[in-house]
Amino acid sequence: MSTISKILDYNKDFVNQNQYEEFKTTKFPDKKLVILTCMDTRLLELLPKAMGLGNGDVKMIKNAGAVISHPFGSIMRSILVAIYELKAEEVCVIGHHGCGMVGLEASSILKKAKQNGIDEERIDILTNAGIDLSKWLTGFQCVEESVANSVRLIKSHPLFPKNITVHGMVIDPETGKLDLVIDGYKDIKSNSTNIPSL
Ligand SMILES: [Zn+2]
């Protein structure tokens, strides 16, 4: 039986037995928090459990590496929607140790793409069209730096409101231990002290 068939079979029982009832909530995050984190399988249950989060508590955005690769891409749009439409008041970027994006090189992905039947010509067409594949497919060297970059990018976005705090954290995918890399409350404080009193 295929994975999807198994999932659909399981789902029938889940719904018929009203197992969804314990997950009932709304689209608005109870903790008024939006989290951007990595798609790593180890974090699927560990991250919410390690943070004491239940269904309905936060908006969770995931991608490879918790990276924002474009200021007008879907990740940044999701953060803005969470704030303006879904009442989130804080943002937390959470990278993790042992991330697959650390040291990832575009050449490795392109080589595997070719092995999977993508011909060189198609890659050339993309490159000639101005798509910088090597930049787009390259990971990062240091997770703390990458988290700090994402935090900076969010805070400096022209549509991002100044009163929203943005934190940066790194989680251990084995123990769930969180380290605060950037304390958004301190940033807000130091910003407000810079405002001259009238
Ligand atoms: Zn990762």
Side-chain angles (χ1 to χ4, degrees), residues 147-183:
V147 165
N149 278 341
S150 293
V151 168
R152 249 195 312 275
L153 208 144
I154 295 167
K155 285 172 66 87
S156 62
H157 196 280
L159 295 179
F160 191 80
K162 295 289 170 239
N163 59 325
I164 300 289
T165 46
V166 189
H167 313 279
M169 293 186 187
V170 175
I171 190 168
D172 184 322
E174 303 298 326
T175 64
K177 183 180 183 294
L178 281 169
D179 288 313
L180 188 63
V181 178
I182 290 168
D183 182 346

Side-chain angles (χ1 to χ4, degrees), residues 38 96 99-100:
C38 182
H96 68 99
C99 185

Side-chain angles (χ1 to χ4, degrees), residues 82-171:
I83 290 167
Y84 288 117
E85 296 294 329
L86 301 162
K87 302 179 182 173
E89 294 174 356
E90 296 185 58
V91 182
C92 196
V93 179
I94 308 178
H96 68 99
H97 298 297
C99 185
M101 289 295 276
V102 172
L104 180 77
E105 289 179 8
S107 57
S108 163
I109 294 183
L110 290 175
K111 188 176 156 202
K112 286 169 188 153
K114 284 176 205 161
Q115 286 165 357
N116 280 273
I118 308 298
D119 55 35
E120 187 90 46
E121 195 188 346
R122 196 183 296 183
I123 293 169
D124 289 343
I125 290 170
L126 293 173
T127 307
N128 292 337
I131 296 167
D132 188 346
L133 289 177
S134 69
K135 190 179 173 206
W136 187 54
L137 293 173
T138 295
F140 48 80
Q141 293 304 322
C142 167
V143 67
E144 286 85 359
E145 264 177 38
S146 173
V147 165
N149 278 341
S150 293
V151 168
R152 249 195 312 275
L153 208 144
I154 295 167
K155 285 172 66 87
S156 62
H157 196 280
L159 295 179
F160 191 80
K162 295 289 170 239
N163 59 325
I164 300 289
T165 46
V166 189
H167 313 279
M169 293 186 187
V170 175
I171 190 168

Side-chain angles (χ1 to χ4, degrees), residues 13-60:
D13 290 343
F14 181 89
V15 176
N16 289 338
Q17 293 163 8
N18 302 339
Q19 289 183 49
Y20 52 84
E21 276 174 1
E22 63 176 296
F23 300 104
K24 274 191 176 161
T25 181
T26 73
K27 64 180 178 177
F28 298 103
D30 292 337
K31 293 194 188 299
K32 298 190 182 302
L33 179 66
V34 50
I35 290 174
L36 167 61
T37 190
C38 182
M39 65 182 189
D40 194 290
T41 49
R42 293 167 292 181
L43 303 181
L44 187 64
E45 286 191 76
L46 179 72
L47 185 137
K49 293 248 164 73
M51 296 181 78
L53 302 174
N55 209 35
D57 274 346
V58 301
K59 290 308 212 194
M60 184 86 77

